[in-house]
Structures are given as structure tokens and as C-alpha cells.
Amino acid sequence: MSSPAATSSTTCDSTATSSTADEHHGPVADIGDSEAADGRTEVDAIVVGAGLAGLVAAHELSQAGKRVLVLDQENRANLGGQAFWSLGGLFLIDSPEQRRLGVHDSLDLARQDWATSAGFDRDEDHWPRQWAEAYLDFAAGEKRGYLRDLGLRLTPIVGWAERGGSGASEHGNSVPRFHLTWGTGPEVVRVFREPVERAESQGLVTLNFRHRVDELITDGGSVVGVRGQVLAPSYTARGVESNRDEVGDFEFRAAAVIVTSGGIGHNFDLMRQYWPTDRLGKFPKTMLAGVPAHVDGRMLQISEDAGASLINRDRIWAYTEGIENWNPVWPNHGIRIIPGPSSLWFDAEGNRFPAPNYPGFDTNRTMKTILATGHDYSWFVLNESIIRKEFALSGSEQNPDITSKDWRLSVERARSSDAPGPVEAFKKYGTDFVVADTTDELVAGMNERSRGPVIDHDHLVAQIVERDRQMDHSFSKDAQVQAIHNARNYLGDKIVRVQKPHKILDPTHGPLIAVRLSLLSRKTLGGLETNLDAQVIGTKGTPIPGLYAAGEATGFGGGGMHGYNALEGTFLGGCIFSGMRAGRAVAKGAGAEH
């Protein structure tokens, strides 16, 4: 492929500057990085968005010898986007890691779990269904080897996310499939960033930061380039909100444009507009932001203005276990607790949630249950023994031992009688945590943090006592207690994830702990409709020549390959798979005949 020259009236410095790396957030500054000094760049493809999907697409294109221009409105410190902040979970099927732990998985079982969780039921689910099938084949086949060849390694313990709990024919993973990257999100980014940066040094890839795309250029129904504004330099660290001061404009043209701009997780106006009130309930008055401010969804509307089909906008994946970050990076910054199954879960009024609304079982069902109470928060009640083994915090910065790939620290963490350091910090500094020696102190602390009703002490304690009486035997009629025993039948959970069943009010396991949980924005499960070559489908049902998309902007593939529910570990994988397919399709000239 070839392309016309790109033109730009940018006043931005064409030479990037770098400074010292911030311990948690990456380089403090690396700005500018605009086009060549003569203001002209000849490229085969333009990638809009330098997150994980964009990096993967650029990697595949450069591997094929294609020249790629990558544009992003943030600075170089944000290269890799949301993936950097992630725990690095990857959904794999019938992996060696599963088999070593005695987990018997299969593609047929995974297909069943995906189908019952996705619940595809719309005419517009044609391509999402195709993407789901293709992704499952990838997760059972090429995915592990593809990443391993790039240098990515996995930890030996496979996590069990979204356990379901409602029956074999409903949502949930039948077996553990959440494979944790050794190095978490930054490592997932690294294995693609480094080859892209090598291609950059060879002149195959150009990375233009602080370039905000405002328009897709069309000609005769084809997309032939992009226009936008160059933003003023930003010296902010990764994830920190940056300025939107315009200092110039630009126009670049190429035979293919790949949109990899992410979702809408920090644009609460868009979330409110498309929130599925009929399925989940009224949009919450209070919601924490699980993603930085630049996750604004602008490119979705820009793509729609160019004729793209946007589908499944109401499929939004928000979490129910959000806590306010005591050390925030971006505005309204929330962190998700990834809980084991033992904490008791109560609504804002102090009523225990019914089955299967247990920690880590069914996100959307629990979301609906919480919002049905008329309140937008809930409570975990647990004790010190549970928190030290069962609480993990989502995010690379909240798991320094795994992120830094330090086996010694990881072993010490697993053997420690204390909660992990980041969890202890939230206990000490977090506004959502109550630590108490008595139930009177516990309930008083909960009521001090209430955003509405007052919890009755005797009513709350009576429910805990009822549950604790089920601990006198190795069997139980309490479904949550049964689930705990079931979890400990899995070696991975027994070793590092699920505390031995005991009475929550047993003082030898104290002190008591309550955690106020807010709702937390995160992922977009709908988006640009694409075929299996990642070509964006237009409103007439046919591909738009020259326009491709990947990552969260496509609901991680096709316009929503997850359907209504996610099985977790599928977001990074979706970015990788869709970015790979987009890069390969453009490299071989897919759709060039249109």
C-alpha cells in the first residue's frame, strides 16, 4: 500500500524529550513526538490510539514491513494506555497452567460458558458472535504461544473469576481461567512496546503524541485520513489529567485508518446516556472512575459521523466492589477489590444479599441487586483472617511484588500473616474501611460512612451469627458456605486465595472489618461494528473502505464479543486479538478492492 504525504501546521516540537521515570506511573514526560522535521510522513496505515490494541496493530504492521503512524492525544508516558494499569489477567483455555493444578478445561466447556454469559439475542449480534467464536479458538490455541514468543510469562496459579453460582446454564466460568501475567499490565504492554519502539528507531513506526483526532477524512465513501489538533505539551505522569490547549492542527492521509481509541469509562455523561436502566436499574448518583480522564469515547462519535455503525451501546461493564483511592492518580480515582468468596455482603441498609450475590460470582446480577435497593453502595463485612488472604486490589501499582517480578516478595506475601502492603495502606488511609474490635464499634463506623440509611446493629449482627452457626460442621445449608468449601477443593484457591472456613465473629480471627463499596466504571462492551478482518461496518451493512478498528472501541471485537457479561481475563486478550487481526488484515490489504 502507499499513501499521500501527510501535512501538518503543528507548532509542537518534533523531538521528544524524556525525563526520569516515576516509580509507579512511568515516565514523567515524553512529549511532542510529531512528524518528521520536514512535516511530511509517508505511511501505509494510521493508528488512532496508542493503547494496547494500537500497539499490537502497529507491531503486526511493522513486522510485515509496513510504515505506520500512531496518533494519541496523551504524551509518551501513557504509551500502552489502560493495559498498563491492569492486573494482567489473560483468559486461556486448557492451558498447561490449568492442567498442572488439576483443572480439566475444554474448548466445548468454554464455548458453553461464553454463550450462557454473553446471552446474544439481537440481530446486530451477528459479528459479535463471529468474534466470540474466533476469540475462543484463539484462547484455546494460538494465544499462549503468540505471547510466549514475545517474552510474556505467566504465574503458576490460575484465578477463578466470575464464578457464576446460578447454574450450569447461566453466567460464569465453570473452571478457573484467569491467568496472571508475571509482571502484570506493564509486562503485557512491554512485550509489544519494545518491538514497536525498535520499529520506530528503524523508521517503520512514527509515534505522534499530543495529536488529537477530530475528524476522519472521507472521499467517495472511503476513509482516507484524519484531521485534528495538536495539543500543548504535557509533562504529566502516566494517568494524570492533561491539558487540552490547542497549539496547531494536522492532517494525515493513508490507505487505512485503524481506530483503537478505547471506551467511555471516564465519560459519565455518555455512560448515563446509554446505561441499561431496564436491565440494571437507575444510573448511580455516585460512581468512581476506574480509568483516567482521557478515556472519553470521543472517537466513537467521530467514527459514527464518518458513517460507522455503533452497536450495543448499552452493554457497559462496571464493577460493584469499588473503593476510593486514598492516593489518586486521576480525578475520582477508584480501585476495585478482587475478593475471595468469604466476605459477607450487605446492602446499604444492612441486609445480607441473597444467593448468588457473593464476592466474585456475578457482577451484573449483583449490580442489579444493589441498585434495586435504591442506593448506590453496599458493604463487605469480614475479619483480619479473611482480608489477609482473600483481598487483592486490581491494578499493577497495587501488586508491586508481581509487577516487579520479584519471586521472593511474592512468596513472602503468600506466607505472611498480614494483609498485603497495599491492602494495609487502604485499611489505614482509605475512607471506606472500618476496623473495629467490637460489633458496636463496627456498626458505628459503618453508619459514620453511610450515604443514606442507618444500619441497625442487632439486625446486622443477627445475620452474621446465623451464618457463623453454619461453621460448626464441615457441611452447610448456606449456599455461600457451600461455595467456600467448593472453592477450597481447587488447589489454587486453597493455597493463595480462600481462607479456611471459620466464624467471622471469632475473636481469634479479628479485628472485624467493614468496607463500603461504591460502583466503579471500567469497560465498554459495545462499540464499532467490525467484521473478522476488523473492517468497520457502515450503516448500510457493508465495510467502509479504509476504516478498521480494534480494542475497546469495538467492544473488544465486532461491536461486542462479550455480549452482556464478561468472563474476565478477556479484556487484554480482546485488545491483543482484535489488534492482531486489524494489523494483519491491513498488512495484507484486506478490503482494498472496495
Side-chain angles (χ1 to χ4, degrees), residues 187-201:
E187 181 71 0
V188 178
V189 171
R190 182 194 69 80
V191 301
F192 291 102
R193 187 199 72 236
E194 289 184 351
V196 167
E197 289 178 335
R198 285 195 296 271
E200 181 186 20
S201 69

Side-chain angles (χ1 to χ4, degrees), residues 424-558:
E424 286 291 337
F426 269 91
K427 279 174 58 183
K428 184 176 182 180
Y429 302 114
T431 60
D432 296 305
F433 282 71
V434 181
V435 181
D437 291 322
T438 69
T439 57
D440 287 329
E441 294 171 353
L442 186 78
V443 175
M446 294 169 72
N447 284 327
E448 287 175 3
R449 291 159 178 79
S450 171
R451 294 202 294 260
V454 174
I455 292 174
D456 180 83
H457 169 273
D458 293 347
H459 176 57
L460 182 82
V461 172
Q463 295 171 87
I464 301 173
V465 170
E466 288 173 351
R467 178 268 187 196
D468 278 1
R469 287 183 180 135
Q470 299 294 307
M471 293 294 131
D472 291 332
H473 310 280
S474 59
F475 47 87
S476 174
K477 73 174 183 179
D478 186 287
Q480 183 174 5
V481 176
Q482 293 172 0
I484 295 168
H485 287 297
N486 183 53
R488 284 179 61 85
N489 282 328
Y490 166 49
L491 182 61
D493 274 352
K494 187 173 184 178
I495 294 173
V496 301
R497 197 73 177 102
V498 182
Q499 184 58 264
K500 184 178 180 180
H502 63 274
K503 294 183 178 182
I504 287 178
L505 296 180
D506 183 344
T508 64
H509 291 276
L512 296 169
I513 299 168
V515 186
R516 183 183 61 183
L517 305 171
S518 298
L519 305 184
L520 178 73
S521 71
R522 187 63 64 84
K523 300 298 181 183
T524 310
L525 299 190
L528 296 171
E529 186 178 11
T530 58
N531 64 18
L532 286 176
D533 278 326
Q535 294 174 274
V536 175
I537 305 300
T539 53
K540 295 181 180 180
T542 57
I544 299 175
L547 185 59
Y548 299 76
E552 193 174 350
T554 68
F556 301 89

Side-chain angles (χ1 to χ4, degrees), residues 172-242:
N173 282 298
S174 297
V175 297
R177 297 190 176 105
F178 190 92
H179 295 68
L180 182 59
T181 297
W182 184 235
T184 68
E187 181 71 0
V188 178
V189 171
R190 182 194 69 80
V191 301
F192 291 102
R193 187 199 72 236
E194 289 184 351
V196 167
E197 289 178 335
R198 285 195 296 271
E200 181 186 20
S201 69
Q202 296 163 1
L204 281 174
V205 173
T206 301
L207 294 167
N208 281 15
F209 298 100
R210 303 299 287 162
H211 279 59
R212 186 191 68 205
V213 173
D214 297 324
E215 180 186 357
L216 294 174
I217 303 171
T218 59
D219 183 3
S222 299
V223 170
V224 297
V226 298
R227 293 191 185 100
Q229 295 293 319
V230 179
L231 303 179
S234 169
Y235 299 91
T236 56
R238 180 186 290 274
V240 175
E241 190 172 18
S242 62

Side-chain angles (χ1 to χ4, degrees), residues 154-449:
L154 304 170
T155 64
I157 301 296
V158 182
W160 196 351
E162 290 294 299
R163 303 177 188 224
S166 304
S169 62
E170 296 195 41
H171 166 66
N173 282 298
S174 297
V175 297
R177 297 190 176 105
F178 190 92
H179 295 68
L180 182 59
T181 297
W182 184 235
T184 68
E187 181 71 0
V188 178
V189 171
R190 182 194 69 80
V191 301
F192 291 102
R193 187 199 72 236
E194 289 184 351
V196 167
E197 289 178 335
R198 285 195 296 271
E200 181 186 20
S201 69
Q202 296 163 1
L204 281 174
V205 173
T206 301
L207 294 167
N208 281 15
F209 298 100
R210 303 299 287 162
H211 279 59
R212 186 191 68 205
V213 173
D214 297 324
E215 180 186 357
L216 294 174
I217 303 171
T218 59
D219 183 3
S222 299
V223 170
V224 297
V226 298
R227 293 191 185 100
Q229 295 293 319
V230 179
L231 303 179
S234 169
Y235 299 91
T236 56
R238 180 186 290 274
V240 175
E241 190 172 18
S242 62
N243 72 71
R244 290 293 178 265
D245 301 333
E246 300 172 0
V247 297
D249 53 40
F250 66 83
E251 177 177 311
F252 298 107
R253 293 183 179 242
V257 175
I258 307 174
V259 176
T260 59
S261 55
I264 67 172
H266 204 110
N267 189 332
F268 285 5
D269 288 338
L270 270 183
M271 286 189 67
R272 186 177 292 105
Q273 179 179 349
Y274 293 105
W275 185 260
T277 304
D278 57 332
R279 286 190 289 109
L280 297 182
K282 186 178 179 181
F283 188 78
K285 181 179 180 181
T286 299
M287 178 177 275
L288 300 175
V291 294
H294 63 255
V295 185
D296 54 21
R298 290 182 72 256
M299 279 304 300
L300 296 177
Q301 183 62 56
I302 291 166
S303 300
E304 189 173 39
D305 291 343
S309 171
L310 270 172
I311 60 175
N312 297 319
R313 300 293 299 272
D314 62 322
R315 292 179 182 169
I316 295 171
W317 189 252
Y319 289 114
T320 52
E321 312 98 335
I323 51 176
E324 185 178 345
N325 193 347
W326 64 272
N327 186 26
V329 177
W330 53 78
N332 195 32
H333 189 171
I335 296 291
R336 185 200 175 198
I337 295 171
I338 303 178
S342 300
S343 299
L344 293 185
W345 206 338
F346 295 90
D347 67 19
E349 297 179 355
N351 302 304
R352 187 182 175 193
F353 286 135
N357 299 302
Y358 306 136
F361 277 65
D362 189 331
T363 293
N364 272 343
R365 188 186 294 263
T366 307
M367 175 75 72
K368 181 177 181 180
T369 301
I370 291 170
L371 292 176
T373 68
H375 306 290
D376 55 16
Y377 68 100
S378 58
W379 290 97
F380 278 166
V381 173
L382 58 152
N383 56 34
E384 183 65 26
S385 291
I386 293 173
I387 200 171
R388 72 186 182 208
K389 189 162 187 177
E390 296 199 8
F391 265 37
L393 300 175
S394 181
S396 54
E397 81 283 12
Q398 301 297 332
N399 296 271
D401 54 334
I402 304 173
T403 299
S404 62
K405 297 190 281 190
D406 190 320
W407 279 114
R408 181 182 59 83
L409 287 178
S410 295
V411 171
E412 289 178 358
R413 173 177 174 175
R415 291 177 174 176
S416 176
S417 60
D418 297 321
V423 175
E424 286 291 337
F426 269 91
K427 279 174 58 183
K428 184 176 182 180
Y429 302 114
T431 60
D432 296 305
F433 282 71
V434 181
V435 181
D437 291 322
T438 69
T439 57
D440 287 329
E441 294 171 353
L442 186 78
V443 175
M446 294 169 72
N447 284 327
E448 287 175 3
R449 291 159 178 79

